[in-house]
Amino acid sequence: MTGPTPVRAILAAALALLISLTAPALAQSSDPTPDSTADFAPDAVVAAFLATRTDGYAWVEENEVPTLNAKGAAVVRVLERAERQGLRPADYTLPAADSPESLDQAVSRTLLRYLTDLQAGRVAPKKVDPELFVFPRDVDGLALLDAVHAAPETAKAMADLAPGNPIYRRLRRLLLDYRALARSGGWHPVPEGPTLKPGMTDPRVSEVRRRLSSTADLTPASGATDLYDPALESAVRQFQRRHGLDADGAIGAKTVAAMNVPVRDRIRQIVLNMERFRWMPDEFGDDHVFVNMAGFELDYVVGGVTRLAMRVIVGRPYRETPIFSDTIRYLEFNPTWSVPAKIAAQDLLPKIKKDPSYLTAGGYELYAGYQDGAPRVDPASVDWAAIPKGRFPYRLRQAPGEKNALGQVKFMFPNQFDVYLHDTPARELFAKSVRNFSSGCIRLQKPITLAEVMLAADGQDSTQVRKILDGKKTTRVNLKTPVPVHLTYLTAWIGEGGTVEFRDDIYGRDSLLANALGLI
């Protein structure tokens, strides 16, 4: 057989219909392989694709010996360089083929897997961590194969199908740079020892210079290499900032530990975060709020430009802030706080037992239950010592005011997790470099400014913010145009200014993903 027959072409429409009918059932009846997020039937997609070829084989020459044509050879060259996209070339090795037909099928099937992994990720988020509430993008396998085959430049067409998010693209360049750095030997570790401070002379200082020069934090300069001079101090502070450390210029245990993370571990970190971006949309919206929990940062983007950036506080390790996207629909000023039962029992009850005046001093109202019309209860009338640990048979509500846990404003995107952005009276916590202190919600460093900028961008009078706050009355302000909000978890990225950023894996999510991808 030298190529597709008219009969195969006639069957194309029927096969396409077969895909639509069988794919959902196949997805439900058999679990996809661990390395695939596809929930369609790959064999049916490949069959439909090849059936539409009326001009010969798709990827092989028209002869008896299985030989790749120019398009097939171009596909294989890209598959062999899959590491450029943070993928594993070994996953896309063609199986042995003893005929042109089997080779054509093998290339199509392997290409389909590559494009699916490239666009939607190698693993489904829920298989990595049940707390990830993001979902792989839909993949039209037949359209992908058709697009690559029809393109005049096969390699370019495959590259164009990679995620288009600019952060992903910068990570891809960073991956190439760090792999080149690894090939040249990476960097040498800095010996552990007492904290080094500016002005000190120590043999370890020369090792710090060498280490920082390898990642371009420091440009080699003349002078006493063992002297911790101002130029080195500036480089150390920069290194500390881009690793989420206190930028105090003191080279202590945490800074040395960050310097000594091997380049292979940083490469793995980059690969993991590229996988995360395959789960995300290419476009976050011209206007959007982007929260990176691992970086403890929020960016408010208006018209594609970051208008406001600030520090945030996220959930404790045992009350992790979930990962998901939603839409901010309204702002609530001078909010009340209806304390969740879990927080009342686990966090507040121990404080109340220790100090019976805690509720009154904090402006809390106590109710006999959660039903409408439940009577208020005088906290002083309760025998708090008799309430067992972990139980809280009352409802708590905190009135607006300076001590309110939500501060002066909250940004609402109603969701199943009861998570939102809000102000906080605990302003001193923003000075810390690691800020995972909340019960799941996200506390904002500049909430009032964010409210004013967001309302102005929404075409509303931003001066109303101060007037509402001065009125001390709980007030809801709806947004005319809701704003997308993305709660994410990135431990490696390149900022808009080109700064390479790494962060610690505060929730252990890198470890879970690395295990799922077989990178541990």
Side-chain angles (χ1 to χ4, degrees), residues 127-200:
K127 288 196 172 187
V128 176
D129 182 353
E131 295 303 312
L132 300 182
F133 298 90
V134 292
F135 307 95
R137 65 187 76 194
D138 293 332
V139 174
D140 185 339
L142 184 58
L144 293 177
L145 291 176
D146 282 336
V148 172
H149 187 266
E153 298 181 52
T154 303
K156 182 178 184 303
M158 292 173 68
D160 289 345
L161 291 173
N165 188 288
I167 305 178
Y168 176 90
R169 292 176 177 175
R170 292 194 288 265
L171 280 173
R172 185 173 57 195
R173 293 196 300 270
L174 181 63
L175 179 62
L176 295 177
D177 292 343
Y178 268 60
R179 284 202 165 125
L181 185 56
R183 288 193 295 270
S184 67
W187 48 74
H188 294 278
V190 175
E192 296 179 357
T195 298
L196 298 173
K197 296 183 178 181
M200 294 176 64

Side-chain angles (χ1 to χ4, degrees), residues 72-110:
V75 166
V76 171
R77 284 194 295 272
V78 174
L79 298 180
E80 291 173 342
R81 300 193 299 270
E83 75 278 354
R84 296 187 177 187
Q85 297 284 357
L87 301 173
R88 296 185 303 193
D91 290 340
Y92 315 106
T93 302
L94 294 183
D98 57 7
S99 68
E101 293 92 339
S102 62
L103 181 59
D104 213 26
Q105 291 171 358
V107 174
S108 300
R109 188 177 296 106
T110 306

